[in-house]
Amino acid sequence: MFTIPEFPALQEAVSRATEAEIVQALHSERPGLAGLAALLSPAAEPHLGAMAKRSGAITSQRFGRTIQVYAPVYLSSFCANRCAYCGFSADNIMERRVLTFAEAEREAMILHQRGFNHLLLVSGEAPAKVGVDYLEEIALRLRDRFAALSIEVQPLATEEYARLFRAGITSVAVYQETYDREMYKQVHLGGPKADFDYRLESPSRVAAAGMREVGIGALLGLSDWRAEGLALGLHLAWLRKQYWRTGLTVSFPRMRPAQGEFKPLQPVSERNLSQMIFALRMFDPDVGLYLSTREEARYRDGMIGLGPTRYSAGSCTAPGGYGQEDAGGEQFEVGDSRSLAEVSSAIQKKGFDPVRKDWDAVFQIRGDGQQAA
Amino acid sequence: MLTIAGRKFRSRLFGGTGKFSSPEVMKAALEASGCEMVTVALRRIDLNNPADDIMRVLDRDRYLFLPNTSGARDANEAMRLARLARASGGGEWLKLEVTPDPRTLLPDPIETLKATEILVKEGFKVLPYMNADPILALRLQDVGAVAVMPLGSPIGTNQGVLTRFQIEIIISQAQVPVIVDAGLGAPSHVAEAMEMGADAVLVNTAIAVAGDPVRMARAFAMAVEAGRIAYESGLGAVSKDAAPSSPEDGLGFLR
Ligand code: SF4
């Protein structure tokens, strides 16, 4: 079982780096956890330029001059949890909706026509409305038309993940939100999500179920981002050891304005975010790194080639929002509202290839030649 | 001329299509490399879509199209992908890659052997990507692989021919062509592999991510040629002792 050290101990580790340790980490092939702590430290800030350079070089080497593009489909705005920072929190009065199968299919096909081949299916955490049966049905309906389907929904049991894998889901993201147990308690006011440990073990269950890829992340703005970065490194390293067949990714959701007017408790600047991305890239050269449309176009364009390997584009965070412009009820406001074509052309301008297909549903079908289900 | 499964190749450099900054750069680099065989990841292309970015720029008359099964974690997945590719016009040539560890992308020897055996029986011309294990190379040859593709070092690492002593054994024993694949990061690395007697090399990352991929492709092509000519001309033996230029020096006492 993965256990996370107490947060103050992580904070202590990222605060005491010496100049020599930082320089060593910068020049090391495998900086390790001590190196990661050094690169996340305040003392490493003056080295941001050198970190960007190393991070970019490693990323090119491992991923080539390519960036994968994808789009999210929001399936439902119902949620059983009361997370202080989220627009979907059960505490917020808003019109809620869950897409019917036909509506979900329609949303997906709009994205298909816009050129998307990789989809991320997202929902609030309401197992009664969006349970594993619902997700399975959607996967079965979409699997033959998309190269890859990922989900970001409530944590599930291992057997449920395995079922979704057979139905065509390739990867699962479960963000811990914060690895700071105290802060976790403070912002998760009610609902099943309040169980820190069950959530912490979710990525292991995803991997144990045979999923191709598992995504982890911390919501930036809740607690000390430097210590969150070190926690992410620990989590990655542990998952790599336990589940060597599973691909790993990290996302960096920075808090966005949302209904409920929650203000970030510990603001994270673009410089901070960049430092975190570069440090994790140097720590794990092979991890896939996401940069979503939460960030502004200017920043996203600037980061092309420096570390992130996956960009979302043309995103709408309201269920039904692609087919219906004024659907309302978004989870948060996006910072980059450009279309796939616009984001792709920005990627190309930087000398990178926006890759729309880097998977094939055929990998997913179990058994010899026969389709499952 | 190099012959693989009855097909002749003038160039001993094989190219890849991944990691390029654009399909156009890929096309120009492949042209500059002079290669006649290119490998394409089946997971990256849409075989049924002629407008697919990669398929659009690849001239199938000019290059032998070598689909690869990158992403497959076991024999079943690789075989499924191979059959699907053939059914949609991908041809029967196949670079078999079975790499269960998404981080190192090292090939699984057991699953690779299993899949090779079955796919050969189904009529595929299988070129398996493999670790540089001499016995495995023989086993793959025995079950009908048309060439073997041992790695020089882990893919994308640019570390060169770290598996040199095993590759030397493979070359000395193999009856099928030996194509050194993966880890070749500089023209000097491919020259080394060719000097050792490799029949061909496959280079992708080092060309795709170079500052100028087109000129780098040219550099690799020249190095392959130089290495091959050196091999064919017979390289001098390596010795730790200085060789006297007059071999009789110091032997004046002999009658
Ligand atoms: S963060 Fe997730 S679980 Fe929490 S309220 Fe929002 S949608 Fe629900």
Side-chain angles (χ1 to χ4, degrees):
Chain A
M1 200 184 84
F2 177 62
T3 50
I4 192 82
E6 288 305 316
F7 212 69
L10 297 175
Q11 285 181 298
E12 157 70 20
V14 288
S15 63
R16 56 161 186 244
T18 64
E19 184 67 15
E21 286 165 336
I22 293 160
V23 171
Q24 195 193 12
L26 262 171
H27 291 106
S28 162
E29 280 283 318
R30 302 255 161 211
L33 283 161
L36 175 62
L39 294 168
L40 288 165
S41 70
E45 278 174 13
H47 297 278
L48 197 61
M51 287 175 68
K53 220 167 162 193
R54 275 283 290 153
S55 171
I58 296 168
T59 309
S60 264
Q61 193 57 48
R62 307 305 293 162
F63 294 85
R65 298 187 71 85
T66 63
I67 302 245
Q68 223 185 81
V69 289
Y70 72 98
V73 174
Y74 277 72
L75 298 171
S76 156
S77 45
F78 282 97
C79 191
N81 291 306
R82 297 166 53 222
C83 306
Y85 48 82
C86 176
F88 284 175
S89 166
D91 282 343
N92 288 333
I93 309 227
M94 61 188 279
E95 221 179 289
R96 311 258 173 182
R97 84 186 271 208
V98 49
L99 301 187
T100 64
F101 295 131
E103 284 171 338
E105 235 177 310
R106 204 170 329 128
E107 287 281 285
M109 290 318 287
I110 291 173
L111 292 172
H112 195 270
Q113 273 145 24
R114 290 182 189 169
F116 288 99
N117 231 323
H118 286 222
L119 286 192
L120 171 65
L121 307 171
V122 190
S123 79
E125 305 195 359
K129 299 267 182 201
V130 177
V132 71
D133 294 338
Y134 175 92
L135 294 166
E136 184 182 46
E137 177 64 28
I138 294 207
L140 291 172
R141 282 172 183 242
L142 299 180
R143 61 189 286 166
D144 294 333
R145 288 175 273 177
F146 290 89
L149 301 172
S150 314
I151 53 167
E152 193 186 317
V153 302
Q154 69 276 10
L156 300 170
T158 310
E159 313 76 65
E160 293 177 314
Y161 285 131
R163 225 175 109 189
L164 293 179
F165 177 69
R166 286 192 298 272
I169 301 293
T170 327
S171 75
V172 178
V174 191
Y175 308 143
Q176 187 60 26
E177 316 295 16
T178 175
Y179 288 88
D180 177 347
R181 208 178 269 275
E182 278 312 305
M183 179 55 68
Y184 192 94
K185 223 182 281 167
Q186 283 174 40
V187 294
H188 294 108
L189 307 169
K193 193 171 174 179
D195 186 343
F196 180 92
D197 290 307
Y198 186 70
R199 196 164 187 92
L200 190 61
E201 288 157 24
S202 301
S204 316
R205 292 197 302 279
V206 174
M211 252 332 142
R212 290 296 179 156
E213 195 176 87
V214 51
I216 60 176
L219 181 58
L220 303 177
L222 289 179
S223 193
D224 179 352
W225 65 270
R226 300 178 199 276
E228 303 279 20
L230 187 55
L232 282 166
L234 282 161
H235 207 169
L236 281 176
W238 187 86
L239 287 166
R240 287 243 184 260
K241 278 244 161 71
Q242 304 295 318
Y243 303 101
W244 60 273
R245 282 186 162 82
T246 311
L248 300 175
T249 63
V250 178
S251 296
F252 303 89
R254 227 165 36 123
M255 215 166 256
R256 298 288 310 168
Q259 196 187 339
E261 304 295 309
F262 185 86
K263 292 272 170 306
L265 302 170
Q266 302 207 28
V268 177
S269 69
E270 286 181 355
R271 287 187 79 84
N272 298 154
L273 174 59
S274 310
Q275 188 179 347
M276 187 174 186
I277 291 174
F278 302 151
L280 278 167
R281 166 58 69 228
M282 291 162 71
F283 173 70
D284 188 333
D286 303 291
V287 68
L289 300 179
Y290 282 88
L291 195 60
S292 81
T293 53
R294 281 172 181 262
E295 300 304 329
E296 284 168 25
R298 167 193 45 77
Y299 179 72
R300 296 218 307 158
D301 287 359
M303 287 296 280
I304 292 168
L306 298 183
T309 51
R310 299 186 190 183
Y311 273 52
S312 50
S315 308
C316 172
T317 71
Y322 293 115
Q324 193 189 336
E325 292 271 309
D326 54 348
E330 329 173 280
Q331 190 187 26
F332 57 85
E333 279 171 31
V334 300
D336 178 356
S337 52
R338 292 175 300 173
S339 68
L340 174 62
E342 288 166 325
V343 171
S344 295
S345 109
I347 291 172
Q348 283 162 335
K349 267 197 208 115
K350 285 265 182 160
F352 281 73
D353 188 20
V355 170
R356 278 168 297 169
K357 178 178 185 292
D358 194 19
W359 196 247
D360 202 288
V362 78
F363 281 110
Q364 217 68 4
I365 307 159
R366 306 304 298 180
D368 239 347
Q370 290 123 6
Q371 303 226 345
Chain B
M1 282 265 230
L2 165 65
T3 307
I4 305 176
R7 173 136 176 176
K8 293 200 174 352
F9 298 89
R10 260 162 301 155
S11 165
R12 291 172 182 270
L13 174 61
F14 297 159
T17 51
K19 298 188 176 181
F20 282 94
S21 59
S22 74
E24 289 68 34
V25 171
M26 173 192 95
K27 183 178 186 210
L30 288 175
E31 277 168 15
S33 76
C35 72
E36 294 157 297
M37 163 130 76
V38 290
T39 181
V40 184
L42 288 164
R43 63 192 247 184
R44 273 293 300 275
I45 51 168
D46 194 346
L47 278 167
N48 300 314
N49 178 6
D52 177 88
D53 284 350
I54 293 175
M55 304 293 281
R56 181 169 49 81
V57 300
L58 261 194
D59 179 355
R60 299 265 309 256
D61 295 329
R62 175 171 186 159
Y63 302 106
L64 175 68
F65 182 60
L66 184 66
N68 71 54
T69 60
S70 94
R73 288 196 293 196
D74 57 33
N76 275 337
E77 288 180 357
M79 293 189 299
R80 214 157 48 224
L81 209 56
R83 291 169 190 147
L84 192 92
R86 183 161 67 175
S88 28
E92 63 211 355
W93 289 74
L94 182 76
K95 182 182 172 200
L96 179 67
E97 296 184 20
V98 185
T99 55
D101 175 357
R103 194 166 62 99
T104 61
L105 297 175
L106 286 168
D108 182 327
I110 298 158
E111 296 293 307
T112 301
L113 181 63
K114 224 187 326 181
T116 301
E117 186 162 17
I118 298 171
L119 289 168
V120 165
K121 286 193 184 128
E122 292 181 10
F124 283 95
K125 295 186 181 15
V126 182
L127 294 85
Y129 171 54
M130 57 174 288
N131 212 319
D133 176 342
I135 302 299
L136 179 61
L138 293 173
R139 294 283 306 262
L140 288 164
Q141 175 184 297
D142 288 348
V143 299
V146 297
V148 288
M149 305 187 76
L151 56 82
S153 50
I155 193 162
T157 60
N158 286 354
Q159 293 191 87
V161 193
L162 294 185
T163 54
R164 186 179 170 112
F165 83 93
Q166 291 116 303
I167 289 191
E168 279 172 339
I169 299 172
I170 294 174
I171 291 171
S172 72
Q173 294 178 321
Q175 293 174 39
V176 293
V178 178
I179 304 162
V180 179
D181 182 9
L184 304 175
S188 54
H189 297 154
V190 311
E192 180 187 357
M194 296 307 294
E195 286 167 7
M196 285 162 60
D199 294 282
V201 293
L202 192 149
V203 181
N204 185 176
T205 308
I207 293 175
V209 307
D212 183 342
V214 177
R215 293 198 75 205
M216 189 58 88
R218 181 90 195 94
F220 271 97
M222 291 163 81
V224 168
E225 207 171 317
R228 182 66 192 179
I229 294 173
Y231 171 73
E232 287 172 353
S233 315
L235 286 160
V238 177
S239 165
K240 287 221 170 85
D241 302 316
S245 41
S246 160
E248 296 290 297
D249 276 0
L251 296 178
F253 61 91
L254 293 173
R255 269 201 265 182

